[in-house]
Amino acid sequence: MLLGIFSSTLVGAILAGWSCGLVGAFVVRLNLSSLGFTMSHAAFAGAALGLLLDWDPLLLASLFSLAVAGALGPAAERAKLEPNVIIGITFPLTMALGLIFLRFAPGTALSSTALGLLWGSVLGVTEMELLELAFLSGAMVVLIALFFKEFLAILLDMKLAREAGLNPRPFYYAILFLTGMTVALSLKLIGGLLVFALMINPAATAFQFLHDMKKIILFSPLIGAGAAALGLLGSFAFDLPVGSAIALVSTAGFGLAVALSPKRRRG
Amino acid sequence: MGTPVIELRGVTTIYEGERIPAIHEIDLVVERGEFLALIGPNGVGKTTLLETINGLLDHKAGAVRLFGLDVRREGHRLRRRIGYIPQAVSFPELTPFLVRDVVLMARFGRIGLIHRPRAADYRAVERALELVGSAALARRPIGKLSGGQQQKVMLARAMAKEPELLLLDEPFSNLDFVAREEIASTIVRLHEELGLTTLIVLHDLKGLPPCCQRVVLMRAGRIFRDGCPDEVLDPLILAAAYQ
Ligand SMILES: Nc1ncnc2c1ncn2[C@@H]1O[C@H](COP(=O)(O)OP(=O)(O)O)[C@@H](O)[C@H]1O
Ligand SMILES: [Mg+2]
């Protein structure tokens, strides 16, 4: 390892927080929370299957997460998702599958690596995974910068985007794809149960303070990176699971934002 | 008279999952510079017809041509030249977009992939907002405006495209008398000064401006009458359509 375990985990946490915060701005605005929730647990089940079969957990996590995007994306695009039904059905299903896979995974049965898939672990993150996360973050920034107009237009309204003469569909699916990849690549560090918090909280925090989607897209990843870094420090300082610490910090940030938000004040 | 702005031949549109067409075998030709009102009771297919014209809805049969081009093939490009106000647009209070961005976004299609908005685009936005008397609202979040103010912004949004055709779907609904008069006079002025071809859907007949030379009355998904206001707005005909 070139970097020490602490600094490499810190870099990983910042990258994960950054990319989760960035896709989170889109997920929150497009009402895709139930989809993100489902993706993160499917990614957990996928990674667990990876341990069982001794395949690359990351690959299977990505595939599972993207399969959710593919299966539910068309319904989400037409605003025909029933979030309660989807969460009610998929959460137990993915959890049950994931735990069964872990139960039969050779040697690792409920070992720390396996449990890390649920609530995150600083131990499992390899340099290769850091590179992948860095590549994803960079690619997302480039993609969103290049097609900023198109992404912005679908964040206002899909129909108005079409009306303006754009073809929003590829950009909509690009968001789903990037969300799936972000979930899968953040899984080891943050954990399948908690990666969702890192996706929703920073964006929800930014929405409390800002009236302009352009600024929300700018600040949400910064808040995500900050929450992830702080959470990691907290997890080292108080010996907490890293995903839990990050989830707590990001939730606390959101709570603070609600309390202080100018949007709540009247007048 | 040159190529018609709108030309529909035997157009039928069926919503996904439905068996009965929302509009049947519509024939409609609109020439450049016409001001046409589309009227008829609720659910008769006025909105469907408008969205079939600009290609937001795909038609199942017939042909839709705008400026002589097939909307099925050229939809994206055509919509960049058409100002459209959808029915009953209303942005929730916390919508995180500023008025000037909502208006600017109407030009995103014509600006083209990857390109950024230029000075000319920002100028078109400014002009459009001035046109509807809403320049002062440019930096406000859209959701914080009243219904009438939002409707004016939607008109500015349509005008920011510098359109060759204006499609307006009940632009006066939910407006108080004053706002309604303001928007109506702006629409009439645009038509008179720029010769803009305008198709306006009205759900009641009070808003019919004097410059309107042609009224199309729909009944049950079909065109029931198409003619000058005096002919179509005959009480007997209206009674038959609105029974
Ligand atoms: N999304 C939809 N799916 C199925 N049917 C629809 C949809 N939208 C409208 N309709 C039906 O199409 C018909 C025409 O509707 P519409 O064009 O909105 O009428 P209008 O604008 O004249 O009130 C109605 O019977 C309506 O129920
Ligand atoms: Mg209608």
Side-chain angles (χ1 to χ4, degrees), chain B residues 11 13 23 47-55 57 59 64 71:
Chain B
V11 171
T13 300
I23 54 173
T47 298
T48 308
L49 178 54
L50 230 54
E51 297 198 345
T52 301
I53 290 175
N54 70 3
L57 285 173
H59 50 281
V64 178
V71 81

Side-chain angles (χ1 to χ4, degrees), chain A residues 5 15 39 68 80 169 190-191 199 202 212 248 254:
Chain A
I5 193 165
L15 289 172
M39 277 181 180
V68 168
K80 281 185 179 156
R169 177 165 276 173
I190 317 291
M199 203 157 72
D212 185 348
L248 283 180
F254 174 67

